[in-house]
C-alpha cells in the first residue's frame, strides 16, 4: 500500500471522531442559538419596560417643574392652555398635557379644545387624589384624541397640603412602540395590552389579527402576561395554526400600572435561523474535510522527505540555542507548511521571551535597587539621628559652658543649627523611604496651595475653568501639610464631580476674623483670627437636606461604587483637630462654596537665633531605666538625665533590661529606643516590661520607625521623643510621661 493511500486512510480514520464531535457541537450551537433568541425576546421586553420606566420618571420630573410654574397657577383658561401648548411642542412624545380641577373637571389642555370633560371615573384621577409628590399611571384611550396613551397624573398641592389641581400628561404609546419597532428592525412583534386584556398597541403585519381596542381577555396569552409565577416564555397558537413565541416584561412598576409589554416572534422564523446556521456550519465542515483530504493527497505526491529534512535542520539549530534560525519560504501547503510556520513562530516567540526575560531582569534589578535604597535611607537616617542626638546635645552643653565667650558660643550655636539641618535631611530621607509620619508645621498655606496648583488643575480637566485667588502676607498657621493637601484635593474632586458639563472653580485663601455670629456647619461659634481656604464651584449644588448631611460619614449622593462618603467627613475631622472650623453654602443650580478656617498662630516664629538659656534642672528622685543600643547616645542620655536630677540605670538591649526588671528595686520609667538589634524592639520590650511591672511608665525615642508604635493594652498612649532632641525637649517629655496618671 502506497504512502499516499496510508496517509489518506489514516486521516479519514483520525477525522471520524473529531467530525462526530464537531457535528455534535454544531447541534449544541443550534440549541444555544434558539435559547439565545428566546433570551433576546425577554431582554427586549425588559428593555422596552425599562425605557418606559425612564419616560415615566422623566414625565414626573416635568410635572414637578410645571407644578411650580406661575403660568399654571391661574384661572385664565386660555392663558393656561396656551402655556401648555407651548410645553407640548417641546415634548412631542405626549399627545396632550392638561390640568384637572379637584372636582374632576377638565380646566385647560395643550390641544386648546375648550371641551368640558368629567374625569372622576378615570382610575388615575381617583388614585392621584390620595397621593403627594408622586405620579399615578394608567393606560387608556385618550378621550380628546382617541389614541392609546399612558396617562401620567401628578397632584399639585398648596403649602397646606390641599389639592390645587392635577397635572396630566398623555404619553403616546403608539409612537413609543413605533420607535422600538424600528430599533428591533421589525424582527420582533411588540404588543401592549392593559390588565383587562384591551389591545392598546398591536403588532404591525405578521400573524397578529386582533385590532387596536379589541379584547383578548380570557386568552392564553393574557393569562401568561398576568401570571405571577414569572414563566419566561409561552408559545401561543392562533386560529390559523401559526405558533408565536412571546416574552413579557417583568417590571413591577409597569405591571402595577396595569400595562403588559409583550415581545413575540414567529416560532418558524426563530427555528429557521438556527437551522440555516446549522446547515452553513455543516457545509463549512464538509468543505474543510474535503480540502484536508486534497491537501494530504498533494502532500503525499510531493517530496515529503525534503520538507521533513528542512524541519529537522531547523529543530537542530533550535536545540543548539540558535533562536534566530528560521525556515525560509516558500513553505509547502498542508500540515508540513503549517508545522514550518509554527516552528518559525515558536522560534520568534522564544526569541521575544528571551528579550522579555532580559528586560524583566533589568526592571527587577532596578526595583531591588530602589527597595535597597529605601532600606538604606531608613537605616542611614536611624544611625544619622543617633549621631545628631549626640552632636546636638553636646553642642548645647558647649553653648552653656561657653556663654561667656561670644565667638565660641556662636560656634557652638552653629553646630547645633547644623545638627538641626541634618535632622531636616534625615526627614527628607525618610520621606523618600516612605517611612516618615506627617506632623503639623507652621506653614504659609498660600505657598502650599501654589505648590499644589498644577496637580489641582490636572485633576479638574480642561472642561473646567479654574482660578486661584491667594492673598499676600497670609498669617502663619500650624497645619499638617500632607493632611491639608489631602483635604484640598478632596474638595476639588467633589467640585469636579458637581461640574460634569464644565463650569468654574475658584480656590481662595485670605486672612479673616470671625465673630460670635459666624457659625460652623454644626452651629457652633468659634470667634477669632483665622486663615480661610475656600473652594467655590458653579456646579449643580445641593438641596438643604443633602447639605445638612454632607459631612456625615458614609453619606453620599454618588452612584454605588463611585464614592465612599468619607471625603467631606475626613476634611471636617482634620480641620476640627487642627483647632479650626468648616462652613458651607450650597443651593441647587447655584453651586457650592466650602470654607475651611485654620487658627492664626498666636506668636510668629523667631527667625534670628537667640543665645541659649540655661535650663533649670528640676528636683526629682525618680529612677529611669535607659535602654539604648548606641553607646554614644546611651552615654549622652545618661549624663543628661543625671544632670536633670534623675537616678539612671542603663542597658544596651531588651533582654538585659528585662533581666534587671525581674529583680527587686525601684524603677519609675522605661526610656527605650524603638529600633534595636537582637530581635527585641522597643514596643515588645515595653509590653513585657509593663507585664512584669504594671505601674511602669514608658517613653520611646527613635530616629526612624517603619511601623506605628503601639503601647500595650492598659498602658495608655505611646509617647515618642524623636531623635535628635534638645535638652528641654527631653526634660519636658520625661516630666510629661512621669506625671501621666496610672491606668
Amino acid at each position: 500500500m502506497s504512502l499516499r493511500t496510508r496517509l489518506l486512510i489514516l486521516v479519514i480514520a483520525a477525522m471520524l471522531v473529531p467530525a462526530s464531535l464537531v457535528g455534535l457541537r454544531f447541534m449544541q450551537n443550534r440549541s444555544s442559538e434558539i435559547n439565545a433568541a428566546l433570551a433576546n425576546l425577554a431582554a427586549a421586553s425588559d428593555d422596552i419596560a425599562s425605557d418606559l420606566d425612564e419616560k415615566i420618571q422623566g414625565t414626573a420630573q416635568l410635572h414637578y417643574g410645571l407644578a411650580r410654574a406661575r403660568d399654571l397657577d391661574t384661572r385664565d383658561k386660555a392663558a393656561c392652555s396656551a402655556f401648555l401648548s407651548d410645553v407640548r411642542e417641546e415634548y412631542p412624545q405626549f399627545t396632550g398635557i392638561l390640568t384637572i380641577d379637584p372636582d374632576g373637571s377638565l380646566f385647560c389642555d395643550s390641544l386648546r379644545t375648550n371641551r368640558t370633560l368629567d374625569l372622576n371615573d378615570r382610575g388615575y384621577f381617583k388614585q392621584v387624589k390620595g397621593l403627594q409628590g408622586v405620579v399615578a399611571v394608567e393606560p387608556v384611550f385618550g378621550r380628546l384624541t382617541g389614541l392609546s396613551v399612558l396617562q401620567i397624573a401628578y397632584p399639585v398641592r398648596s403649602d397646606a397640603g390641599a389639592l390645587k389641581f392635577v397635572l396630566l400628561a398623555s404619553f403616546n404609546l403608539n409612537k413609543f412602540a413605533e420607535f422600538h419597532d424600528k430599533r428591533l428592525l421589525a424582527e420582533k412583534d411588540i404588543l401592549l395590552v392593559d390588565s383587562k386584556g384591551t389591545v392598546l398597541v398591536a403588532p404591525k403585519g405578521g400573524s397578529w389579527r386582533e385590532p387596536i381596542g379589541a379584547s383578548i381577555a380570557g386568552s392564553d396569552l393574557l393569562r401568561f402576561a398576568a401570571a405571577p409565577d414569572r414563566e419566561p416564555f409561552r408559545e401561543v397558537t392562533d386560529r390559523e395554526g401559526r405558533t408565536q413565541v412571546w416574552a413579557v416584561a417583568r417590571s413591577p412598576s409597569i405591571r402595577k400600572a396595569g400595562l403588559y409589554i409583550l415581545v413575540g416572534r414567529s416560532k418558524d422564523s426563530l427555528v429557521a435561523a438556527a437551522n440555516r446556521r446549522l446547515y452553513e456550519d455543516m457545509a463549512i465542515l464538509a468543505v474543510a474535510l474535503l480540502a484536508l483530504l486534497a491537501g494530504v493527497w498533494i502532500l503525499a505526491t510531493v517530496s515529503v522527505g525534503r520538507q521533513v529534512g528542512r524541519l529537522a535542520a531547523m529543530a537542530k539549530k533550535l536545540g543548539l540555542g540558535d533562536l534566530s534560525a528560521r525556515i525560509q519560504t516558500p513553505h509547502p501547503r498542508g500540515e508540513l507548511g503549517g508545522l514550518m510556520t509554527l516552528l518559525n513562530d515558536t522560534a520568534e516567540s522564544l526569541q521575544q521571551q528571551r528579550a522579555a526575560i532580559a528586560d524583566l531582569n533589568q526592571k527587577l534589578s532596578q526595583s531591588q535597587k530602589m527597595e535597597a535604597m529605601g532600606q538604606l535611607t531608613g537605616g542611614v537616617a536611624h544611625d544619622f539621628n543617633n549621631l545628631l542626638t549626640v552632636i546636638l546635645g553636646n553642642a548645647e552643653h558647649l553653648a552653656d559652658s561657653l556663654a561667656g565667650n561670644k565667638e565660641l558660643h556662636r560656634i557652638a550655636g552653629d553646630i547645633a543649627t547644623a545638627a538641626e539641618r541634618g535632622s531636616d535631611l534625615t526627614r527628607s530621607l525618610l520621606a523618600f523611604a516612605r517611612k516618615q509620619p506627617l506632623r503639623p508645621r507652621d506653614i504659609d498655606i498660600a505657598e502650599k496651595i501654589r505648590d499644589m496648583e498644577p496637580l489641582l488643575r490636572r485633576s479638574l480637566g480642561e472642561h473646567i475653568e479654574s482660578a486661584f485667588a491667594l492673598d499676600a502676607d497670609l498669617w502663619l498657621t500650624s497645619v499638617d501639610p500632607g493632611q491639608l493637601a489631602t483635604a484640598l484635593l478632596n474638595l476639588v474632586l467633589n467640585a469636579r464631580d458637581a461640574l460634569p458639563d464644565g463650569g468654574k472653580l475658584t480656590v481662595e485663601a485670605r486672612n479673616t476674623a470671625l465673630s460670635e455670629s459666624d457659625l460652623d456647619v454644626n452651629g457652633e461659634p468659634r470667634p477669632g483670627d483665622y486663615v480661610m481656604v475656600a473652594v467655590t464651584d458653579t456646579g449643580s449644588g445641593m438641596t438643604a437636606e443633602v447639605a445638612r448631611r454632607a459631612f456625615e460619614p458614609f453619606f453620599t449622593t454618588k452612584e454605588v461604587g463611585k464614592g465612599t462618603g468619607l471625603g467631606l467627613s475626613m476634611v471636617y475631622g482634620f480641620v476640627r483637630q487642627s483647632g479650626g472650623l468648616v462652613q458651607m453654602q450650597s443651593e441647587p443650580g447655584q453651586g457650592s462654596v466650602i470654607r475651611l478656617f485654620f487658627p492664626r498662630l498666636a506668636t510668629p516664629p523667631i527667625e534670628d537665633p537667640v543665645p541659649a538659656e540655661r535650663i533649670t534642672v528640676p528636683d526629682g528622685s525618680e529612677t529611669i531605666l535607659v535602654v539604648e543600643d548606641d553607646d554614644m547616645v546611651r552615654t549622652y542620655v545618661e549624663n543628661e538625665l543625671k544632670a536633670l536630677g534623675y537616678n539612671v540605670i542603663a542597658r544596651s538591649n531588651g533582654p538585659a533590661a528585662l533581666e534587671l526588671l525581674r529583680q527587686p528595686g525601684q524603677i519609675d520609667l522605661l526610656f527605650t529606643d524603638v529600633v534595636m538589634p537582637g530581635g527585641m524592639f522597643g514596643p515588645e520590650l515595653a509590653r513585657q516590661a509593663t507585664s512584669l511591672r504594671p505601674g511602669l511608665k514608658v517613653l520611646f525615642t527613635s530616629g526612624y520607625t517603619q511601623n506605628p508604635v503601639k503601647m500595650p493594652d492598659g498602658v495608655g498612649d505611646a509617647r515618642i521623643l524623636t531623635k535628635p532632641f534638645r535638652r528641654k525637649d527631653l526634660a519636658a517629655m520625661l516630666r510629661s510621661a512621669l506625671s501621666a496618671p496610672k491606668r
Side-chain angles (χ1 to χ4, degrees):
M1 187 179 294
S2 66
L3 177 61
R4 178 175 58 190
T5 305
R6 291 174 185 270
L7 286 174
L8 289 175
I9 294 174
L10 180 62
V11 170
I12 293 173
M15 289 302 297
L16 286 177
V17 174
S20 300
L21 294 176
V22 171
L24 179 61
R25 182 61 180 171
F26 286 160
M27 293 297 295
Q28 292 175 344
N29 287 343
R30 174 183 179 273
S31 177
S32 297
E33 287 190 8
I34 294 175
N35 291 335
L38 292 173
N40 184 259
L41 285 179
S45 62
D46 288 336
D47 182 54
I48 295 173
S50 176
D51 186 34
L52 187 55
D53 266 329
E54 291 181 4
K55 296 297 189 295
I56 294 172
Q57 294 301 319
T59 305
Q61 294 178 4
L62 174 62
H63 280 334
Y64 181 82
L66 290 177
R68 286 148 183 79
R70 295 181 178 178
D71 297 272
L72 290 184
D73 193 8
T74 178
R75 298 309 298 173
D76 188 341
K77 187 172 185 178
C80 177
S81 297
F83 173 71
L84 290 180
S85 178
D86 293 338
V87 174
R88 160 66 179 78
E89 290 180 0
E90 297 295 327
Y91 298 93
Q93 65 267 35
F94 301 116
T95 61
I97 305 175
L98 52 88
T99 64
I100 307 170
D101 285 334
D103 61 0
S105 61
L106 172 65
F107 179 66
C108 63
D109 68 272
S110 61
L111 300 178
R112 304 186 186 185
T113 60
N114 203 26
R115 290 180 56 182
T116 300
L117 290 178
D118 184 2
L119 301 172
N120 278 294
D121 60 332
R122 288 295 199 182
Y124 63 81
F125 184 74
K126 297 177 182 178
Q127 180 184 359
V128 79
K129 289 195 296 183
L131 300 178
Q132 183 168 354
V134 295
V135 296
V137 182
E138 181 185 13
V140 297
F141 288 97
R143 291 182 176 176
L144 295 178
T145 62
L147 300 175
S148 56
V149 294
L150 189 64
Q151 301 286 30
I152 306 172
Y154 178 82
V156 180
R157 298 184 180 276
S158 64
D159 294 338
L163 182 65
K164 295 171 63 178
F165 58 88
V166 174
L167 265 170
L168 180 68
S170 302
F171 184 76
N172 193 329
L173 291 177
N174 288 310
K175 285 188 176 181
F176 177 74
E178 288 175 1
F179 168 77
H180 283 284
D181 188 60
K182 293 177 181 178
R183 186 175 63 84
L184 297 176
L185 302 177
E187 294 179 352
K188 304 175 182 68
D189 295 330
I190 299 175
L191 174 64
L192 304 183
V193 297
D194 63 15
S195 57
K196 298 177 182 178
T198 305
V199 178
L200 300 173
V201 176
K204 296 182 179 180
S207 60
W208 186 258
R209 293 292 179 267
E210 302 294 338
I212 294 177
S215 176
I216 60 170
S219 66
D220 188 35
L221 181 57
L222 185 62
R223 285 192 295 271
F224 160 65
D229 58 357
R230 296 185 176 272
E231 179 185 353
F233 312 103
R234 177 71 63 87
E235 293 184 8
V236 178
T237 304
D238 60 16
R239 291 186 294 271
E240 287 78 14
R242 290 184 291 266
T243 302
Q244 192 92 349
V245 181
W246 292 94
V248 63
R250 297 299 179 181
S251 169
S253 59
I254 298 300
R255 292 170 64 87
K256 183 178 179 181
L259 179 64
Y260 300 135
I261 300 176
L262 298 103
V263 177
R265 186 175 180 180
S266 168
K267 184 177 181 180
D268 291 340
S269 66
L270 186 146
V271 176
N275 287 339
R276 182 172 62 254
R277 180 61 183 271
L278 174 64
Y279 300 150
E280 291 174 354
D281 290 344
M282 295 299 292
I284 292 173
L285 176 62
V287 171
L289 290 176
L290 291 175
L292 180 60
L293 291 175
V296 172
W297 181 273
I298 295 173
L299 177 65
T301 59
V302 180
S303 179
V304 176
R306 182 171 63 87
Q307 307 301 342
V308 172
R310 296 174 67 189
L311 288 169
M314 170 72 170
K316 184 177 181 180
K317 291 181 180 180
L318 291 178
L320 295 175
D322 183 10
L323 298 183
S324 63
R326 301 290 187 274
I327 297 178
Q328 299 299 320
T329 55
H331 295 166
R333 297 181 180 180
E335 286 80 358
L336 281 179
L339 183 57
M340 290 178 178
T341 302
L342 177 61
L343 201 55
N344 280 346
D345 293 343
T346 301
E348 181 70 24
S349 176
L350 290 173
Q351 195 171 25
Q352 292 176 358
Q353 289 179 26
R354 176 182 287 177
I357 291 173
D359 183 58
L360 285 175
N361 284 333
Q362 181 180 2
K363 292 180 178 178
L364 178 61
S365 176
Q366 178 69 12
S367 175
Q368 291 173 338
K369 181 177 72 174
M370 296 301 292
E371 181 64 22
M373 289 178 65
Q375 296 294 334
L376 176 62
T377 54
V380 168
H382 174 262
D383 294 339
F384 195 36
N385 277 332
N386 282 336
L387 297 175
L388 289 174
T389 300
V390 178
I391 293 172
L392 183 59
N394 287 322
E396 286 187 309
H397 276 298
L398 285 174
D400 291 342
S401 301
L402 300 172
N405 188 321
K406 185 176 181 180
E407 180 63 21
L408 293 179
H409 180 79
R410 182 190 60 79
I411 293 174
D414 291 343
I415 294 174
T417 301
E420 289 180 339
R421 291 183 180 177
S423 177
D424 292 336
L425 175 60
T426 59
R427 280 194 291 270
S428 299
L429 291 174
L430 290 174
F432 169 75
R434 293 170 293 177
K435 299 178 177 72
Q436 171 67 25
L438 297 175
R439 297 177 180 177
R441 292 170 50 196
D442 299 344
I443 64 169
D444 182 346
I445 288 182
E447 183 178 350
K448 180 64 178 177
I449 295 176
R450 290 189 192 97
D451 293 339
M452 290 186 64
E453 183 174 341
L455 169 64
L456 298 179
R457 290 186 185 275
R458 287 195 301 271
S459 301
L460 287 172
E462 297 180 355
H463 67 294
I464 297 176
E465 178 187 353
S466 58
F468 291 79
L470 310 176
D471 286 359
D473 300 326
L474 284 185
W475 295 323
L476 291 182
T477 58
S478 180
V479 180
D480 185 323
Q483 291 291 341
L484 173 63
T486 301
L488 188 57
L489 186 59
N490 269 330
L491 295 180
V492 169
L493 293 179
N494 276 353
R496 181 195 64 185
D497 294 341
L499 296 165
D501 300 322
K504 184 175 181 180
L505 179 140
T506 302
V507 178
E508 178 186 4
R510 59 182 174 85
N511 298 328
T512 187
L514 299 182
S515 64
E516 291 287 345
S517 61
D518 296 310
L519 308 179
D520 76 347
V521 292
N522 281 343
E524 299 177 10
R526 298 174 67 91
D529 292 337
Y530 293 88
V531 174
M532 186 270 290
V533 178
V535 177
T536 306
D537 66 75
T538 60
S540 55
M542 290 178 273
T543 63
E545 175 63 23
V546 172
R548 188 162 48 251
R549 302 185 59 194
F551 293 95
E552 293 181 10
F554 305 108
F555 176 76
T556 179
T557 58
K558 298 177 182 178
E559 298 177 12
V560 176
K562 294 187 177 180
T564 63
L566 293 174
L568 287 180
S569 62
M570 291 171 63
V571 171
Y572 178 76
F574 156 64
V575 176
R576 289 303 299 265
Q577 288 176 1
S578 301
L581 67 152
V582 180
Q583 292 180 351
M584 181 176 68
Q585 293 176 346
S586 183
E587 293 183 11
Q590 302 298 319
S592 304
V593 55
I594 297 179
R595 300 182 180 91
L596 313 181
F597 296 87
F598 298 97
R600 175 188 182 181
L601 280 179
T603 57
I606 299 175
E607 298 181 357
D608 298 328
V610 297
E613 298 180 357
R614 291 186 176 272
I615 298 175
T616 302
V617 179
D619 295 332
S621 60
E622 291 95 344
T623 300
I624 299 176
L625 173 58
V626 176
V627 185
E628 169 63 59
D629 62 286
D630 189 280
D631 295 336
M632 289 192 299
V633 176
R634 187 171 64 252
T635 300
Y636 162 70
V637 172
E638 278 189 80
N639 294 334
E640 287 293 331
L641 293 180
K642 289 177 180 178
L644 292 171
Y646 296 102
N647 298 318
V648 183
I649 305 173
R651 291 293 183 269
S652 61
N653 55 65
L658 290 176
E659 183 64 28
L660 176 65
L661 289 169
R662 293 189 183 97
Q663 300 173 8
Q666 177 67 25
I667 297 178
D668 299 289
L669 181 138
L670 171 65
F671 184 43
T672 176
D673 195 6
V674 173
V675 179
M676 295 186 293
M680 181 177 290
F681 282 10
E684 177 60 20
L685 171 60
R687 186 188 69 80
Q688 296 191 33
T690 52
S691 177
L692 291 172
R693 299 194 178 197
L696 184 65
K697 307 294 179 63
V698 180
L699 174 61
F700 293 103
T701 181
S702 178
Y704 151 79
T705 177
Q706 185 168 357
N707 299 311
V709 177
K710 295 182 179 180
M711 289 292 287
D713 294 338
V715 177
D717 299 331
R719 287 183 171 85
I720 303 177
L721 181 60
T722 304
K723 298 177 183 177
F725 47 80
R726 288 183 174 271
R727 186 188 314 157
K728 62 181 181 180
D729 299 327
L730 174 61
M733 286 295 288
L734 281 171
R735 282 267 51 97
S736 175
L738 287 168
S739 302
K742 294 183 180 181
R743 298 198 178 187

